[in-house]
């Protein structure tokens, strides 16, 4: 077979060729043909592994420690090699948002100016996603990330056992000093649910979920069971639902060995949970109380975001709202009385309408549809890990923020990462054969 020429190697790695000719990838290696050094790959792996953890610590404005470290590492990798390859649908999704913003800024004049820092940060974060995903080695990332996931989960379980045994409240563990604004928002105060190094159980769960997805793909039963038990102890409804969806998805895979493995993980988790519950009967009370108190029918994130989109005019459905979300809520409260609770607490409406349907509310139907198609594409055509991550991203977008924040960089960098040449656990690339 003809050997690849050095010139071809310098031009970058063709994912479609690698999918058709695995021996080519094995001989050359993704790390070589893409121009990515081992040091660069290691830096990206470490940065992405701690990204959500660092994103909790604000520096100024929209910037936080995660953003700053991520941008610095991304620019460093680009300085070494300017070759970038990413999903065109992802680029089209991001570009559609800025096109809509340009149209609205021309029509309203001050809309883009008022949010220029946020959208400038969006450009940098999108650059991070492209740089990280085009150079990330999933296996190397998992070796570092798995350690952090296990440490974080053991800390949460220890906190949960202590709180169940003593009845005391515990504050999240701070690794860095916090700003006055963060203290005023009450992000690091004592709470009734364990969250370890994170400000809330939901953020801890978001950090852990890709670890569960990778552990299931790599058939590491003990790791998957420990991480799922950590989510159960934290009481995160978000984490419990998505972890359950991951297990269900892996149990229904076409390959019997994958389904059997996922079933084994479920049995292991249930056994450990029952064993712990018999020793500490109050251990899972926060999880049970949170699940029972979640009203899906009136939750603006889960059930009524589509209703907000429905009540928008045709022009607003195409281009997004021409006023702030809070202003739209006040104008249309008589049509949607369930919004009164959110207006009474004077919360930022965009916080509750910023998932997938929030894209339609703020930016119109085009970005929302492109986001949906992007996630579905990886669910249908991606690797086993990308399929799991697509489930995480889709369910996350129904209940939490997803655009131009820490979740955006963390999830999309993993979702878009090329996996053809450095994964031997049944992980296929998006352009690979089934």
């Amino acid at each position: 077979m003809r050997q690849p020429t050095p010139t071809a190697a310098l031009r970058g790695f063709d994912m479609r060729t690698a999918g058709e000719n695995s021996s080519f990838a094995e001989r050359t290696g993704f790390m070589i043909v893409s121009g990515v050094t081992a040091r660069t790959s290691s830096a990206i792996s470490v940065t992405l592994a701690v990204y959500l953890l660092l994103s909790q610590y604000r520096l100024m404005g929209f910037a936080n420690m995660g953003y700053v470290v991520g941008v610095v590492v991304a620019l460093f990798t680009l300085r070494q090699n300017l070759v970038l390859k990413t999903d065109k649908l992802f680029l089209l999704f991001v570009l559609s948002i800025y096109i809509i913003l340009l149209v609205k800024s021309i029509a309203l004049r001050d809309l883009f100016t008022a949010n220029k820092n946020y959208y400038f940060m969006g450009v940098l974060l999108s650059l991070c996603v492209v740089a990280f995903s085009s150079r990330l080695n999933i296996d190397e990332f998992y070796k570092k990330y798995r350690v952090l996931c296990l440490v974080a989960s053991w800390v949460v379980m220890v906190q949960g056992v202590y709180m169940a045994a003593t009845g005391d409240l515990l504050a999240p563990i701070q690794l860095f000093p916090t700003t006055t604004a963060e203290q005023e928002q009450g992000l690091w105060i004592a709470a009734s649910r364990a969250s370890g190094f994170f400000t809330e159980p939901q953020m801890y769960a978001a950090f852990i979920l890709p670890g569960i997805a990778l552990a299931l793909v790599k058939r590491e039963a003990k790791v998957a069971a420990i991480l799922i038990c950590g989510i159960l102890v934290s009481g995160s409804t978000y984490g419990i639902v998505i972890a359950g969806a991951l297990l269900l998805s892996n149990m229904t895979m076409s390959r019997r060995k994958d389904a059997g493995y996922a079933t084994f993980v479920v049995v292991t988790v249930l056994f450990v949970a029952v064993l712990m519950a018999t020793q500490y009967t109050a251990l899972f009370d926060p999880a049970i109380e949170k699940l029972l108190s979640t009203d899906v029918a009136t939750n603006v994130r889960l059930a009524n975001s589509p209703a907000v989109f429905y009540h928008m005019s045709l022009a607003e459905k195409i281009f997004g709202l021409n006023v702030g979300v809070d202003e739209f809520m006040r104008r249309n409260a008589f049509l949607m009385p369930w919004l009164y609770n959110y207006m009474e607490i004077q919360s930022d409406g965009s916080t509750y309408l910023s998932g997938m349907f929030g894209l339609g509310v703020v930016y119109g139907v085009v970005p929302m549809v492109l986001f949906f198609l992007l996630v579905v594409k990886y669910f249908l055509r991606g690797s086993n890990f990308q399929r799991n991550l697509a489930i995480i991203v889709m369910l996350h977008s129904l209940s939490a923020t997803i655009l131009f924040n820490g979740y955006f960089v963390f999830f999309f960098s993993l979702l878009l990462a090329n996996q053809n040449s450095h994964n031997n656990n049944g992980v296929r690339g998006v352009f690979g054969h089934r």
Side-chain angles (χ1 to χ4, degrees):
M1 187 177 294
R2 184 171 63 89
Q3 297 290 333
T5 64
T7 304
L10 290 175
R11 282 198 299 265
F13 178 59
D14 189 332
M15 293 171 65
R16 289 166 291 187
T17 302
E20 298 169 358
N21 188 351
S22 59
S23 62
F24 171 88
E26 292 172 358
R27 284 198 317 274
T28 58
F30 178 78
M31 298 293 289
I32 297 175
V33 296
S34 64
V36 181
T37 66
R39 181 179 299 177
T40 299
S41 177
S42 179
I44 290 175
S45 297
V46 172
T47 300
L48 201 57
V50 300
Y51 196 86
L52 280 185
L53 188 65
L54 296 180
S55 295
Q56 302 176 107
Y57 300 93
R58 182 181 300 176
L59 297 178
M60 62 177 64
F62 290 102
N64 56 52
M65 291 182 66
Y67 293 3
V68 173
V69 172
V71 170
V72 170
V73 173
L75 293 177
F76 175 76
T77 60
L78 292 177
R79 181 175 177 271
Q80 288 191 325
N81 180 13
L82 289 176
V83 176
L84 287 176
K85 290 199 173 184
T86 191
D87 194 299
K88 293 180 180 178
L89 189 55
F90 171 76
L91 294 181
L92 186 60
F93 161 63
V94 174
L95 183 62
S96 68
I97 292 174
Y98 284 92
I99 292 176
I100 292 295
L101 284 173
L102 179 61
V103 173
K104 292 169 73 171
S105 65
I106 294 175
L108 304 178
R109 297 184 181 181
D110 62 344
L111 180 64
F112 187 81
T113 302
N115 300 280
K116 62 181 180 180
N117 292 333
Y118 173 74
Y119 293 113
F120 174 72
M121 184 63 67
V123 173
L124 295 179
L125 296 183
S126 299
L127 178 64
C128 288
V129 171
V130 174
F132 292 169
S133 62
S134 62
R135 291 161 166 78
L136 182 67
N137 183 309
I138 291 294
D139 288 334
E140 182 178 2
F141 164 78
Y142 182 59
K143 291 177 182 178
K144 300 173 174 61
Y145 172 58
R146 176 178 54 186
V147 174
L148 294 178
C149 287
L150 289 172
V151 171
S153 295
W154 280 116
V155 169
V156 166
M157 286 189 283
V158 170
Q159 285 183 330
V161 170
Y162 174 82
M163 294 166 72
T166 64
D168 295 339
L169 304 181
L170 287 179
I173 300 173
Q174 293 181 227
L175 299 179
F176 303 97
T178 57
T179 64
T180 303
E182 289 172 321
Q183 294 172 355
E184 291 176 352
Q185 293 173 10
L187 297 179
W188 297 93
I189 62 175
S192 60
R193 294 188 294 162
S195 58
F197 302 107
F198 297 87
T199 56
E200 58 178 344
Q202 183 260 320
M203 195 166 193
Y204 157 74
F207 173 77
I208 292 296
L209 286 168
I212 297 174
L214 277 167
L216 289 172
V217 170
K218 294 178 177 294
R219 301 182 182 89
E220 296 186 354
K222 293 181 180 179
V223 175
I226 291 172
L227 302 188
I228 294 174
C229 285
I231 288 180
L232 289 174
V233 172
S234 74
S236 170
T237 305
Y238 160 98
I240 293 172
V241 170
I242 298 180
L246 289 176
L247 290 173
L248 181 63
S249 173
N250 283 266
M251 289 173 65
T252 56
M253 283 183 179
S254 59
R255 292 190 297 177
R256 185 177 299 176
K257 60 183 179 181
D258 289 331
Y261 173 75
T263 304
F264 172 72
V265 172
V266 172
V267 173
T268 302
V269 170
L270 291 177
F271 173 77
V272 174
V274 171
L275 182 63
M276 296 176 70
T278 58
Q279 298 296 321
Y280 304 99
T281 55
L283 183 60
F284 297 105
D285 284 354
I288 296 173
E289 292 174 3
K290 186 66 168 59
L291 285 170
L292 295 178
S293 64
T294 301
D295 189 351
V296 176
T298 60
N299 189 291
V300 68
R301 285 173 169 171
L302 299 177
N304 291 308
S305 295
V308 174
F309 184 78
Y310 174 79
H311 287 292
M312 292 163 54
S313 66
L314 178 60
E316 289 172 334
K317 286 184 172 69
I318 296 174
F319 297 104
L321 292 177
N322 57 6
V323 296
V325 175
D326 293 328
E327 178 63 23
F328 181 81
M329 286 182 174
R330 284 190 289 270
R331 292 181 183 180
N332 297 274
F334 67 97
L335 295 174
M336 297 169 285
W338 40 266
L339 290 176
Y340 279 120
N341 291 335
Y342 298 93
M343 289 185 290
E344 287 177 357
I345 61 177
Q346 296 182 344
S347 61
D348 182 2
S350 61
T351 301
Y352 297 96
L353 295 172
S354 51
M356 182 177 71
F357 289 104
L359 292 172
V361 170
V362 180
Y363 304 108
V365 67
V366 174
M368 180 175 68
V369 171
L370 289 175
F371 171 85
F372 178 79
L373 293 177
L374 177 65
V375 177
V376 170
K377 169 186 173 180
Y378 280 89
F379 179 79
L380 296 178
R381 299 178 59 190
S383 67
N384 291 337
F385 170 59
Q386 287 169 323
R387 171 182 170 175
N388 285 338
L389 202 61
I391 294 173
I392 295 173
V393 172
M394 181 60 71
L395 294 179
H396 172 95
S397 71
L398 296 178
S399 62
T401 57
I402 192 64
L403 185 66
F404 301 156
N405 56 16
Y407 299 126
F408 175 80
V409 175
F410 186 61
F411 287 141
F412 278 108
S413 295
L414 294 174
L415 184 66
L416 273 58
N418 171 57
Q419 301 171 64
N420 282 0
S421 60
H422 46 70
N423 193 308
N424 298 317
N425 295 285
V427 178
R428 301 179 307 272
V430 174
F431 295 100
H433 295 293
R434 277 201 174 270

